[in-house]
Amino acid sequence: MVVETLPLQSAAEGALLLVGALVLLVVIAALLSAIEIVDAYEKRALTVFGEYRKLLEPGINFVPPFVSNTYRFDMRTQTLDVPRQEAITRDNSPVTADAVVYIKVMDAKKAFLQVDNYKKAVSNLAQTTLRAVLGDMELDDTLNKRQEINARIRQELDEPTDEWGIRVESVEVREVNPSKDVQRAMEQQTSAERKRRAMILEAQGERRSAVEKAEGDKQSEIIRAQGEKQSQILEAQGDAISTVLRAKSAESMGERAVIDKGMETLADIGQGESTTFVMPQELTSLVGRYGKHLSGSDVKENGAELESREFDEETRELIGLDDIAEIIGEIDEEAEMDLEAMEQEAQAIKEGKDAGTISDPDAVIEEMDQDFQERTDGGAEQSADDADDSTTN
């Protein structure tokens, strides 16, 4: 009897060990199932026996073991690729386009309870919206108004995605491609437009060049005409000044002419047959001045040196011997005068209206002849008086 109880005890102990091991395994599994570790960038929806309980926050969370399920929701901004879509524009041009949608889960409870697979739902909604927007626009608008397409798609996605707890942050259409036939037509149109613009620019350049050339020729002719006018005016002024100087010089040389005439008279007297000559005092003075003027002789009268006759201050001032530089400066100043004034003055000089300080040459010569005649007559009367006095003595 004792021998038979040993195997029974051994069997009981083995069964206890097995049960203990099973219990330990169950406890470990329960602990593992009851602990949920949530990452910092996500939230998890908890269900117990299929019933929604709450959202698990980031960190360590304890949930009922074996009867709980959790569903992960990434709270970061996510990128959804919208597959290439084919659409017909409002002007019946086929185009294809694809886009990228940036979304973010704002309410994980709504994303869990209101929609099944929110990513797939947003992607399908973006595809249909993209086709609808492209179909409502013309071909040129689909190619040029990319920002408008993005804004319209985002506006269309906002309302339904808000109910799902999803926010559409941005929509970017990557490519909009028309059909190959349309592309060839567009290339031809672009080429023709570029040729047209090139022709217009070339014509405008030629027109501008012609205008600039004509303007340059006009300015050149104006400058040349002004130069000719100024040259004529300066030449006329030079002739006028030269005439003034010659007239004033001839006027100042009247005394020299009287001396020369007196010497001619003396020569005529010397050719006479008479050996006795009555020389008036004026004639001796005349001979002394002439000799002094010609040879620098020191012929003296009554012990005094005879002074040669020079131009007086008035004559020098009239001739301008002391201020030739001033006369030249005045000519330079007059050369810089206004062209219109120069033209008027030149015209007046040509017509004889601008006499100014210029004396008539005939009047100057006539005045010189009268002065010479008066001096000659005066000298003859004085000689006759002296001859009478000598005869009386």
Side-chain angles (χ1 to χ4, degrees):
M1 297 294 295
V2 176
V3 177
E4 293 180 356
T5 58
L6 292 175
L8 293 175
Q9 292 178 351
S10 299
E13 292 177 356
L16 291 174
L17 291 174
L18 180 61
V19 171
L22 291 175
V23 171
L24 181 61
L25 291 175
V26 171
V27 171
I28 294 174
L31 291 175
L32 293 176
S33 177
I35 297 174
E36 287 286 341
I37 300 176
V38 181
D39 293 330
Y41 56 85
E42 66 182 10
K43 290 183 179 181
R44 296 187 182 182
L46 174 64
T47 59
V48 177
F49 292 109
E51 181 183 0
Y52 173 79
R53 292 292 179 90
K54 63 178 180 178
L55 291 176
L56 301 181
E57 299 295 332
I60 298 177
N61 295 270
F62 294 96
V63 298
F66 305 119
V67 294
S68 300
N69 290 318
T70 58
Y71 301 89
R72 178 183 300 179
F73 291 91
D74 194 333
M75 305 303 293
R76 297 173 295 182
T77 299
Q78 304 174 57
T79 303
L80 298 180
D81 287 330
V82 179
R84 183 173 295 276
Q85 303 295 311
E86 295 184 358
I88 304 297
T89 62
R90 190 167 59 185
D91 53 353
N92 298 323
S93 294
V95 294
T96 59
D98 60 349
V100 178
V101 180
Y102 298 90
I103 63 173
K104 186 175 183 178
V105 178
M106 303 302 297
D107 189 343
K109 180 179 179 180
K110 288 184 178 180
F112 175 69
L113 297 176
Q114 300 295 330
V115 62
D116 178 21
N117 194 348
Y118 67 92
K119 292 183 178 181
K120 184 176 181 181
V122 172
S123 177
N124 291 334
L125 182 61
Q127 294 177 29
T128 56
T129 304
L130 176 61
R131 289 196 298 268
V133 170
L134 292 177
D136 196 34
M137 302 177 67
E138 295 184 355
L139 177 63
D140 293 339
D141 294 337
T142 60
L143 299 176
N144 299 327
K145 299 180 179 180
R146 190 70 57 86
Q147 295 298 328
E148 182 178 345
I149 297 175
N150 297 337
R152 290 183 60 180
I153 294 176
R154 180 179 177 182
Q155 184 178 1
E156 294 292 334
L157 294 178
D158 276 341
E159 184 177 354
T161 55
D162 284 343
E163 297 179 359
W164 302 338
I166 307 298
R167 185 180 69 185
V168 178
E169 294 187 340
S170 178
V171 177
E172 296 293 335
V173 176
R174 289 187 292 193
E175 290 184 358
V176 177
N177 296 323
S179 64
K180 295 183 179 179
D181 294 338
V182 175
Q183 289 181 4
R184 284 194 295 267
M186 291 174 62
E187 291 176 357
Q188 294 176 358
Q189 181 181 1
T190 303
S191 177
E193 180 66 20
R194 289 179 178 176
K195 291 180 179 178
R196 184 182 69 86
R197 293 180 60 185
M199 294 175 64
I200 292 175
L201 292 176
E202 183 178 0
Q204 289 179 349
E206 293 178 354
R207 177 177 175 272
R208 184 179 182 86
S209 176
V211 171
E212 293 291 340
K213 183 178 180 182
E215 186 67 21
D217 293 341
K218 176 184 176 182
Q219 294 294 335
S220 177
E221 291 294 332
I222 292 174
I223 294 173
R224 184 180 61 81
Q226 290 178 347
E228 291 179 356
K229 290 180 180 180
Q230 186 173 3
S231 176
Q232 293 174 1
I233 291 171
L234 293 177
E235 183 178 357
Q237 287 182 341
D239 293 341
I241 293 173
S242 176
T243 303
V244 171
L245 293 177
R246 288 197 299 269
K248 291 181 179 180
S249 177
E251 183 179 359
S252 66
M253 293 301 290
E255 184 178 357
R256 176 66 180 273
V258 173
I259 294 174
D260 292 341
K261 189 65 175 179
M263 296 306 296
E264 292 177 1
T265 304
L266 184 60
D268 293 339
I269 295 174
Q271 293 177 2
E273 297 177 356
S274 177
T275 59
T276 301
F277 304 98
V278 179
M279 301 293 291
Q281 184 180 359
E282 288 78 2
L283 188 57
T284 43
S285 176
L286 188 65
V287 174
R289 291 180 181 178
Y290 188 73
K292 180 68 176 178
H293 180 73
L294 293 178
S295 60
S297 173
D298 56 352
V299 177
K300 298 182 179 179
E301 180 182 7
N302 297 327
E305 183 179 355
L306 294 176
E307 296 180 357
S308 63
R309 188 67 179 271
E310 297 181 355
F311 297 133
D312 55 13
E313 294 298 330
E314 182 179 0
T315 303
R316 294 180 66 86
E317 183 178 357
L318 290 174
I319 297 176
L321 296 178
D322 298 330
D323 53 355
I324 295 300
E326 182 178 354
I327 294 176
I328 296 174
E330 291 177 357
I331 294 174
D332 294 338
E333 291 178 359
E334 291 177 357
E336 296 176 359
M337 66 187 299
D338 186 74
L339 292 178
E340 183 177 0
M342 293 172 65
E343 183 177 1
Q344 294 177 358
E345 183 177 353
Q347 186 66 25
I349 292 174
K350 291 181 180 180
E351 296 177 357
K353 296 180 181 179
D354 188 15
T357 59
I358 302 176
S359 302
D360 189 0
D362 295 335
V364 174
I365 295 173
E366 183 178 356
E367 184 179 354
M368 291 173 61
D369 290 341
Q370 291 178 359
D371 184 62
F372 175 74
Q373 186 66 32
E374 289 175 358
R375 293 186 181 184
T376 304
D377 293 343
E381 290 176 358
Q382 185 65 32
S383 298
D385 291 341
D386 291 341
D388 291 342
D389 292 339
S390 300
T391 305
T392 303
N393 295 330

